[in-house]
Amino acid sequence: MVCSYCKHETMVVNSRPQKRSNSVWRRRKCLRCQAVFSTIEQVDYEKTWVVQYQDGRLSAFLRDKLFVSIFKSCQHRPTALTDALGITATVITQAAHKIQHGTISASELALLCHQALSHFDQPAAIHYQAFHTTTLKEI
């Protein structure tokens, strides 16, 4: 990786795996300007996962689409943004355990969202279910 300041080569000074988010945090130091900065390395699920709908259609997994649907369900909360980010990360972590050959069904993904929201905030789960009834019925 190159330095974000002078674009010269860097070296890793410290590295720690992040179990909850399936990522690696690294502290880097530039070999030229000696600047120190952090990076996070994580899987790009949008290029590796595919969502399959009941009619057979395939669609790229979009983290932002998942986040928006969760955020809309949490809008009644004063901390909706932070809550939705956390729940999205939880759903992605749970989905990673259920993915087979890079494919997850839309209904399974919707069920994971609904379950996470149910454990977190029942009104948010009800709101989510109201807008995803057809996907949740497929299960």
Side-chain angles (χ1 to χ4, degrees):
M1 174 164 269
V2 297
C3 175
S4 58
Y5 302 103
C6 73
K7 309 299 184 233
H8 195 265
E9 287 295 313
T10 62
M11 67 177 199
V12 175
V13 179
N14 192 357
S15 182
R16 294 186 186 150
Q18 306 297 306
K19 293 179 184 174
R20 292 183 69 191
S21 62
N22 193 23
S23 62
V24 178
W25 171 89
R26 298 188 197 283
R27 174 74 68 195
R28 294 181 172 274
K29 185 174 184 178
C30 179
L31 299 173
R32 180 190 290 164
C33 72
Q34 303 300 307
V36 177
F37 59 96
S38 297
T39 61
I40 296 176
E41 178 183 316
Q42 62 186 21
V43 176
D44 186 359
Y45 293 117
E46 294 185 1
K47 297 211 176 30
T48 17
W49 289 357
V50 175
V51 177
Q52 183 171 23
Y53 294 91
Q54 188 178 20
D55 62 4
R57 286 181 301 124
L58 295 175
S59 176
F61 171 81
L62 300 173
R63 183 203 164 278
D64 291 344
K65 185 175 178 181
L66 177 66
F67 167 75
V68 168
S69 68
I70 292 171
F71 177 74
K72 285 181 179 179
S73 299
C74 294
Q75 279 184 325
H76 67 280
R77 301 179 56 83
T79 55
L81 182 62
T82 308
D83 298 340
L85 286 169
I87 294 169
T88 300
T90 298
V91 170
I92 288 172
T93 300
Q94 292 173 345
H97 297 293
K98 296 186 177 276
I99 290 276
Q100 294 179 351
H101 307 292
T103 304
I104 187 166
S105 70
S107 56
E108 194 168 20
L109 191 57
L111 181 62
L112 288 173
C113 288
H114 185 262
Q115 289 171 341
L117 285 165
S118 293
H119 290 299
F120 180 71
D121 183 21
Q122 198 59 42
I126 292 168
H127 183 275
Y128 184 86
Q129 185 176 13
F131 285 93
H132 295 86
T133 52
T134 56
T135 311
L136 288 169
K137 283 182 184 176
E138 293 173 9
I139 296 178

